[in-house]
Amino acid sequence: MRCGELAERLDERLRIDEYADIDASANGLQVGPADREVARVAVTVDAAVSTVEQAVDAQADLLIAHHGISWGGIDRVTGTAYRRLAPLMENGLALYAAHLPLDGHQTLGNAAGLADLLELTDTEPFGELGAVHVGQRGTAPDAYSVDALRNLLAGELVHGGEGVQVLEFGPTEIKDIAIVTGSGVDWLEDAAENGVDAFITGEGKQKAYHLAKEHGIHVFLAGHYATETFGVKALQDRLEEWGLKTTFIHEPTGL
């Protein structure tokens, strides 16, 4: 399959255009000629020097990353930008990025994957950002306790030994859960105002403590990287269905 054809298919599936005026990431094909043939694709959370080098070692033709390398443009190809671009171009490795589109997609996204892990039902979009959503909300068939939900997240997600931090201010039983992965704590107040029992995100801010306490809601900080592997893994499954060979490059940050 040609790189441009694959990129167009991903653009359509992830509704890239709907996020164009909202996301700082330049989503879509960021590096590489559209006419090159792609047989093997590597997927990863972060496009960094180490993950690019691992994709080269895996003989990938294309690297798909949740966090790409272009965030509103590249002014100069020096320093970090050069170190990341050079191995891509020297080895003919293309790069495709999907940031917020891969957070909010209701079947392939990070929040959707985490909701599936928790076996949530009656799921619906959550986390409005303009005309799109970046998360998901659902109901647990059987109520979780704080310890049970913490242990499930800690056991299933890769944290680099950091574990899951919880702000315990909500009800004894947790049924209604909202999720915005990564740096999603800004939607904590929306979650509380929508009456959920717990809000799950990747990392916190100082204000989260008092907001959680004042609204009587649990907040689970499950790790930025740890909550954002679901989307690229879901894409990996689709790519294999399309006849492509794939490799998942796993480099947890512990953050």
Side-chain angles (χ1 to χ4, degrees):
M1 185 183 300
R2 291 189 181 274
C3 187
E5 177 188 349
L6 177 55
E8 288 177 3
R9 188 179 293 192
L10 290 168
D11 287 351
E12 181 179 359
R13 181 64 62 90
L14 296 173
R15 306 182 354 255
I16 292 292
D17 289 346
E18 295 181 23
Y19 292 79
D21 297 328
I22 294 171
D23 199 347
S25 171
N27 295 309
L29 188 63
Q30 291 191 343
V31 178
D35 61 352
R36 75 160 301 168
E37 287 292 329
V38 175
R40 179 179 292 277
V41 182
V43 301
T44 194
V45 174
D46 302 306
V49 175
S50 58
T51 55
V52 169
E53 290 175 344
Q54 290 176 69
V56 171
D57 291 342
Q59 299 183 321
D61 304 302
L62 172 68
L63 175 63
I64 296 177
H66 179 48
H67 302 130
I69 61 174
S70 178
W71 301 85
I74 299 174
D75 295 327
R76 299 175 187 273
V77 184
T78 60
T80 299
Y82 178 82
R83 288 192 293 273
R84 291 178 176 176
L85 280 167
L88 288 166
M89 302 183 75
E90 289 170 0
N91 293 280
L93 176 62
L95 172 66
Y96 182 98
H99 183 230
L100 294 183
L102 200 53
D103 284 317
H105 196 282
Q106 294 300 295
T107 56
L108 300 174
N110 290 314
L114 185 48
D116 288 344
L117 174 66
L118 302 180
E119 300 182 340
L120 302 187
T121 62
D122 300 321
T123 55
E124 59 185 40
F126 175 78
E128 287 187 19
L129 186 60
V132 298
H133 292 82
V134 292
Q136 194 168 95
R137 172 184 176 177
T139 304
D142 298 309
Y144 287 104
S145 66
V146 171
D147 287 343
L149 185 51
R150 178 198 288 116
N151 292 340
L152 175 59
L153 293 170
E156 294 292 334
L157 305 183
V158 178
H159 304 90
E162 294 302 315
V164 176
Q165 184 178 2
V166 184
L167 304 177
E168 298 185 37
F169 296 114
T172 302
E173 292 190 341
I174 299 171
K175 291 277 290 182
D176 199 352
I177 299 172
I179 304 167
V180 178
T181 58
S183 184
V185 77
D186 287 341
W187 282 272
L188 165 58
E189 202 156 15
D190 287 347
E193 290 172 355
N194 277 277
V196 304
D197 304 317
F199 178 64
I200 301 174
T201 189
E203 60 193 31
K205 295 180 180 178
Q206 173 69 12
K207 67 178 183 179
Y209 177 91
H210 293 291
L211 285 174
K213 185 176 182 180
E214 290 161 4
H215 284 285
I217 184 174
H218 298 300
V219 178
F220 290 77
L221 305 175
H224 195 130
Y225 179 94
T227 59
E228 294 199 327
T229 62
F230 294 96
V232 291
K233 287 183 177 179
L235 287 184
Q236 183 180 18
D237 292 339
R238 294 303 180 277
L239 293 166
E240 291 180 353
E241 291 174 2
W242 296 343
L244 296 163
K245 297 179 180 178
T246 67
T247 301
F248 173 57
I249 296 175
H250 185 40
E251 188 161 330
T253 64
L255 300 173

